[in-house]
Amino acid sequence: MRPAQQLMMKGIDERMASPAEHTSLLKGKVSGLVIRLAIPSVIGLSINALQQFVNAIFVGRLGAQAIAAVSITLPLIVLLTAVGQGVGVGAASFVSRNLGAGNSLEANRGASLALALAAPIGVALTGALLFGLRDVLALLGASPTIMPAALDYASTLLFGYTLMLLNMVNGFIVRAEGNTRFSMWTMITAFVLNAALDPILIFSLHLGIRGAALATFSAQLAAASLYLLYFVKQWGIVRVRPSYITWRGERVQQLAAIGAPATITGILSAVAFVLLNRAAAQFGDNSVAAVGIAARLLTIGALPITGLCIGSQAVLGFSWGAQDFARVQRAAKFMLSIAVAFSASFSAVVVIFARPIVRLFSDSEDMTEIAVSTCIMFHLFFGLFGVQYVAITMLQSFGKARLSAVVSFARQGYLFVPAVLLLPDIWGFKGLLISQATAELLAGLLAVFVIVRQFGDLKEMLVSPGAAG
């Protein structure tokens, strides 16, 4: 029976590796395919942004200290999210390129390995952070008046971190195989549950800021259940099984090479928030809250572009794996046009309507004045963000880890950190605002240079396909 079983399993794996199951990503009009894949991803991640927005509105009714407490914990959340981004981006690139090359079995192994890595990482980070949470929040800039609320919020949120990490990796895998619609409905379900529970837990049950964190935890639990059902019922192309988990060095290295820049970028985002909060803290709690509002708006604006690129990444990865460089070029140009149009429009809306937007978060006149100028400066050059993220997505899809790192680390790393450390000491709070705007501008110009070079390389590959290696 054993040889027969092996033969049968071989036949199943060969059937699963057949490229016929995913040729839909390699055929048809590129613009229509990108829209079909991107819209659910954009909606899903925009819902995620809206969830943060709704949370902020409910928490804002608890007072400026509650807003400041959530703002203080934002770097911690960004840091934890960075781990999921890294594992997920590495898995998505690996899965889409292997599916495009017709090797579903290797895609299954990569996806299974990514999830096997995510669970213990989540548990380990949760335990470590809970053990020293007060010190971590103090390092992030929590003042004695903010610390109690920040502890309540962060400690409750951390219990759901492993679920959040698994959900992120699951989402990347599902979107990488082209099923962005399921990911969208999962995020919508989580949002509806979170929005429904927020007022009940915060106000009706008098749980305050801890209630907001419990609502988020409940939403993550619901999302995890849906993803578990997806893989158990085998609704997609990729199969996740314990038998596919092998700790092969080359496979781990491929996941890490693409995923590490994404993780480090997320870590730099967390560091950037820490530096912003610590720089703002010397100007008072209102300044911390103002920076938190502006940063939250940046996140809201970034997520639709992120959704576009994540949803479209499957087209780039599949086409690159199949060495269809004309299709890669068409997809990248279409993504770039949409991303730049949105980021420029969002930048204009925030700059023009900064005051009424800030009023949604707080009625305090003092904080409003600070937050309006903060939002304007933070979004002055946000129109270039679309170029940055499309460039990063292209490089990740092509497996160009080093160049991806150079572009990824610019905006909140080697361009931003020196500026935010120096300029507030020279020009006070205005220097803090200038540091963010300057980093955004220079990172955007760098991305423009890189993306022009990538399109030039693609043009050469159309003439000499062998240049792809």
Side-chain angles (χ1 to χ4, degrees):
M1 284 294 294
R2 189 172 181 181
Q5 288 175 340
Q6 290 177 338
L7 185 62
M8 181 180 69
M9 289 305 297
K10 181 180 179 182
I12 291 172
D13 287 339
E14 286 177 347
R15 178 186 63 78
M16 288 169 59
S18 171
E21 294 186 29
H22 13 85
T23 51
S24 60
L25 288 179
L26 300 174
K27 293 182 178 180
K29 191 175 180 181
V30 168
S31 58
L33 182 60
V34 167
I35 290 173
R36 181 169 63 84
L37 292 174
I39 285 179
S41 188
V42 170
I43 292 173
L45 291 186
S46 297
I47 286 293
N48 191 23
L50 183 60
Q51 179 175 318
Q52 296 182 35
F53 186 78
V54 170
N55 273 343
I57 290 176
F58 282 120
V59 170
R61 300 299 175 242
L62 298 174
Q65 287 184 358
I67 298 176
V70 173
S71 299
I72 284 292
T73 60
L74 189 58
L76 180 61
I77 295 169
V78 171
L79 177 63
L80 293 172
T81 302
V83 179
Q85 288 275 359
V87 179
V89 165
S93 177
F94 187 93
V95 166
S96 63
R97 283 184 286 116
N98 277 285
L99 289 178
N103 192 353
S104 290
L105 182 57
E106 187 64 12
N108 296 340
R109 289 169 175 162
S112 300
L113 176 60
L115 288 170
L117 289 169
I121 290 173
V123 172
L125 285 175
T126 297
L129 287 169
L130 284 174
F131 182 75
L133 186 57
R134 181 178 291 274
D135 293 334
V136 170
L137 292 175
L139 181 65
L140 295 179
S143 65
T145 56
I146 296 174
M147 181 64 77
L151 278 171
D152 282 347
Y153 185 75
S155 60
T156 307
L157 208 60
L158 277 172
F159 280 106
Y161 172 62
T162 301
L163 285 175
M164 182 185 81
L165 183 58
L166 288 171
N167 287 337
M168 290 183 66
V169 178
N170 283 329
F172 272 102
I173 293 169
V174 170
R175 289 187 292 265
E177 65 177 19
N179 199 346
T180 55
R181 188 170 298 178
F182 182 84
S183 178
M184 174 192 74
W185 283 112
T186 299
M187 284 186 275
I188 288 176
T189 300
F191 164 72
V192 171
L193 182 61
N194 196 330
L197 289 176
D198 262 337
I200 296 172
L201 295 176
I202 295 173
F203 303 115
S204 299
L205 297 181
H206 307 290
L207 294 176
I209 198 169
R210 189 186 293 272
L214 283 172
T216 301
F217 173 79
S218 301
Q220 292 293 337
L221 184 61
S225 301
L226 289 174
Y227 280 124
L228 178 62
L229 189 64
Y230 180 89
F231 288 115
V232 169
K233 295 292 186 180
Q234 298 183 357
W235 289 339
I237 299 170
V238 174
R239 305 287 183 258
V240 175
R241 296 173 183 168
S243 60
Y244 288 146
I245 301 171
T246 56
W247 302 98
R248 183 178 164 188
E250 182 183 353
R251 192 175 296 122
V252 175
Q253 185 177 7
Q254 286 189 54
L255 291 173
I258 301 299
T263 294
I264 295 172
T265 300
I267 292 172
L268 288 174
S269 297
V271 171
F273 279 125
V274 171
L275 294 176
L276 281 172
N277 284 332
R278 291 180 72 87
Q282 61 186 307
F283 305 105
D285 287 351
N286 281 339
S287 296
V288 174
V291 167
I293 290 172
R296 192 172 294 274
L297 287 174
L298 278 177
T299 302
I300 291 170
L303 279 179
I305 297 172
T306 305
L308 166 71
C309 293
I310 289 175
S312 307
Q313 187 270 339
V315 180
L316 292 176
F318 266 73
S319 302
W320 184 267
Q323 297 194 353
D324 187 347
F325 303 119
R327 193 172 181 81
V328 172
Q329 186 182 61
R330 291 196 301 272
K333 285 183 176 180
F334 185 69
M335 290 167 59
L336 182 63
S337 64
I338 296 176
V340 171
F342 178 83
S343 60
S345 299
F346 187 86
S347 174
V349 168
V350 174
V351 169
I352 294 170
F353 300 104
R355 186 171 297 274
I357 291 172
V358 169
R359 284 291 190 187
L360 294 173
F361 293 91
S362 176
D363 295 329
S364 169
E365 287 294 337
D366 292 339
M367 194 188 76
T368 296
E369 292 304 316
I370 299 171
V372 167
S373 59
T374 303
C375 289
I376 291 173
M377 288 297 292
F378 274 36
H379 291 81
L380 203 56
F381 300 109
F382 184 73
L384 291 168
F385 179 79
V387 183
Q388 295 175 49
Y389 213 91
V390 171
I392 293 167
T393 304
M394 289 174 65
L395 296 170
Q396 290 171 345
S397 300
F398 303 164
K400 298 183 178 182
R402 291 183 181 178
L403 192 52
S404 171
V406 172
V407 181
S408 298
F409 299 166
R411 181 172 178 254
Q412 292 175 310
Y414 57 82
L415 293 178
F416 172 76
V417 172
V420 80
L421 290 176
L422 293 175
L423 298 185
D425 289 338
I426 300 174
W427 292 312
F429 189 71
K430 186 180 292 185
L432 183 152
L433 304 183
I434 293 172
S435 65
Q436 170 67 27
T438 302
E440 190 83 74
L441 173 62
L442 295 178
L445 294 177
L446 171 64
V448 169
F449 173 77
V450 170
I451 208 166
V452 168
R453 290 290 300 271
Q454 291 305 304
F455 280 121
D457 291 345
L458 283 172
K459 191 174 181 180
E460 290 182 10
M461 290 174 190
L462 292 174
V463 179
S464 305

